[in-house]
């Protein structure tokens, strides 16, 4: 789970908007970048703390991307207004996007840049690392859930769009998928085929990046977990998360093996064997290159995978 901090005027409406997004697992309203520790609402409203009303948005990047959240957020604000959103005026109502992981900064910068090009002027949105965040009083938390008729500066129509945001890695229907995949990719993922060893695309690929499901784009493996097993196919010591894969008994070819499929799209990937490196758990996920698409580190942010950069940057 990752967290981004969004200041969009009154935090009641911004929080409710984000709560409606599939893939957002938690929200908390509070005061960001305050010069005073643990300020209360009354003090923040004086404008002397420098704090901004902000929502901490914790989300599952497998369900919704940071870029999707930011684009929705930008629709909820007047991006050129200074210290004012809706009927609220004051420095605490300024707009801002704050982060704790510098890896997401390029994504934020690109989204802001695209907006500025679209509107033909600079925005007033403050962007930078989060300095601090103090939770607001209990009565502010989930305010519009507890008070459905309460004040909200966010357009009600945007709430419907929020409910449709996310689900970024849905599997296409069979007709669409067949058009998108090569014949080999279709045979491997949909008919449990196996490509030739040693001559497949990623057998000798070891540069930093992630390997995603070729049918949906969902990240499955990180380059930091890939090793040269000599088997002729890409080998990984573990997936990014255990719930991404389903294991099934395979009794074909007069052998007892364990088949590996994606749990979300039911695509055949390969097999897992208990002969991997002992220091990483002893498993070898032997995966068909045709079931994967490699996204190199320098393309991850541009392709919407900035939330996964920390996996590639971690030590072996």
């Amino acid at each position: 789970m990752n967290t981004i901090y969004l200041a969009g005027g009154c935090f009641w409406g911004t929080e409710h908007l984000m709560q409606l997004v599939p893939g957002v697992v938690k929200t908390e309203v509070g005061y960001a970048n305050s010069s005073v520790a643990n300020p209360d609402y009354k003090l923040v409203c004086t404008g002397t703390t420098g704090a901004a009303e902000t929502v901490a948005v914790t989300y599952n990047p497998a369900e919704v991307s940071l870029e999707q959240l930011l684009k929705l957020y930008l629709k909820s604000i007047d991006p050129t207004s200074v210290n004012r959103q809706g009927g609220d005026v004051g420095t605490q109502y300024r707009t801002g996007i704050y982060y704790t992981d510098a890896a997401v900064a390029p994504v934020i910068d690109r989204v802001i840049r695209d907006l500025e090009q679209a509107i033909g002027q600079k925005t007033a949105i403050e962007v930078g690392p989060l300095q601090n965040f103090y939770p607001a009083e209990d009565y502010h938390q989930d305010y519009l859930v507890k008070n459905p008729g309460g004040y909200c500066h966010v357009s009600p129509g945007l709430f419907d769009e929020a409910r449709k945001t996310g689900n970024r890695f849905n599997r296409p229907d069979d007709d669409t998928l067949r058009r998108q995949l090569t014949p080999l990719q279709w045979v491997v993922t949909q008919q449990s085929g196996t490509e030739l060893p040693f001559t497949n695309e990623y057998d000798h690929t070891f540069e930093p990046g992630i390997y995603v499901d070729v049918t949906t784009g969902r990240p499955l493996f990180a380059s930091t977990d890939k090793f040269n097993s000599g088997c002729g196919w890409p080998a990984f010591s573990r997936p990014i998360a255990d719930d991404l894969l389903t294991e099934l008994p395979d009794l074909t070819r007069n052998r007892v093996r364990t088949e590996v499929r994606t749990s979300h799209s039911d695509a055949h990937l390969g097999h897992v064997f208990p002969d991997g490196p002992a220091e990483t758990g002893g498993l070898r996920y032997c995966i068909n290159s045709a079931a994967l698409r490699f996204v190199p580190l320098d393309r991850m942010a541009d392709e919407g995978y900035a939330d996964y950069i920390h996996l590639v940057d971690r030590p072996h």
Side-chain angles (χ1 to χ4, degrees):
M1 302 300 151
N2 295 342
T3 302
I4 192 70
Y5 297 80
L6 304 176
C10 175
F11 46 27
W12 296 344
T14 303
E15 179 184 40
H16 192 59
L17 178 68
M18 293 296 150
Q19 287 175 331
L20 298 175
V21 177
V24 170
V25 299
K26 179 183 177 182
T27 59
E28 184 176 37
V29 298
Y31 312 113
N33 298 348
S34 174
S35 61
V36 177
N38 296 304
D40 59 20
Y41 182 67
K42 183 177 180 180
L43 182 60
V44 169
C45 286
T46 67
T48 59
T49 68
E53 288 197 13
T54 300
V55 183
V57 182
T58 301
Y59 63 98
N60 182 350
E63 301 298 329
V64 63
S65 69
L66 175 60
E67 185 170 349
Q68 288 176 305
L69 291 176
L70 293 179
K71 288 182 176 179
L72 181 67
Y73 157 78
L74 292 176
K75 292 180 180 180
S76 72
I77 63 172
D78 178 347
T80 61
S81 180
V82 178
N83 299 331
R84 178 170 187 164
Q85 291 295 312
D88 300 305
V89 180
T91 56
Q92 70 270 30
Y93 299 115
R94 68 185 183 273
T95 54
I97 303 171
Y98 311 116
Y99 54 85
T100 55
D101 181 1
V104 305
V107 179
I108 301 171
D109 291 343
R110 186 180 69 251
V111 172
I112 295 293
R113 184 172 63 251
D114 290 346
L115 175 62
E116 290 177 339
Q117 291 177 349
I119 64 177
Q121 60 180 307
K122 290 288 186 180
T123 69
I125 303 168
E126 189 174 67
V127 176
L130 181 75
Q131 299 171 22
N132 52 60
F133 180 80
Y134 299 103
E137 296 82 346
D138 286 345
Y139 75 90
H140 286 301
Q141 307 295 336
D142 306 313
Y143 184 84
L144 290 179
V145 174
K146 295 180 285 190
N147 303 275
Y151 168 76
C152 179
H153 70 289
V154 178
S155 170
L158 201 55
F159 292 149
D160 289 333
E161 183 171 339
R163 295 183 180 95
K164 300 174 185 177
T165 301
N167 300 319
R168 61 185 297 208
F169 299 127
N170 282 351
R171 181 190 184 280
D173 60 70
D174 282 353
D175 289 341
T176 301
L177 191 60
R178 188 183 285 273
R179 291 194 299 269
Q180 292 177 349
L181 301 182
T182 67
L184 176 60
Q185 290 171 336
W186 177 267
V187 168
V188 168
T189 61
Q190 307 305 302
Q191 299 177 348
S192 300
T194 301
E195 63 193 356
L196 293 174
F198 300 106
T199 59
N200 54 80
E201 188 172 7
Y202 302 128
D203 181 29
H204 299 293
T205 299
F206 291 98
E207 63 181 290
I210 57 172
Y211 295 81
V212 306
D213 178 359
V214 74
T215 68
T216 66
R218 185 184 293 264
L220 297 175
F221 300 97
S223 59
T224 42
D225 297 316
K226 191 172 188 290
F227 63 97
N228 186 2
S229 69
C231 68
W233 293 275
F236 303 89
S237 58
R238 57 193 167 193
I240 289 174
D242 290 339
D243 62 1
L244 294 171
L245 307 181
T246 299
E247 297 182 4
L248 301 170
D250 181 358
L251 305 180
T252 61
R253 301 188 181 184
N254 297 317
R255 299 173 59 189
V256 178
R257 296 180 296 172
T258 300
E259 180 191 11
V260 177
R261 304 182 72 89
T262 60
S263 57
H264 58 284
S265 63
D266 196 36
H268 172 74
L269 298 175
H271 294 83
V272 58
F273 301 95
D275 58 5
E279 62 273 18
T280 56
L283 296 179
R284 171 173 60 93
Y285 289 86
C286 184
I287 308 298
N288 288 281
S289 290
L292 305 172
R293 183 174 72 86
F294 178 65
V295 183
L297 175 59
D298 61 4
R299 291 289 308 161
M300 287 175 63
D302 288 340
E303 294 194 25
Y305 295 107
D307 296 308
Y308 294 87
I309 288 176
H310 70 283
L311 299 176
V312 178
D313 283 344
R314 74 171 187 259
H316 286 270

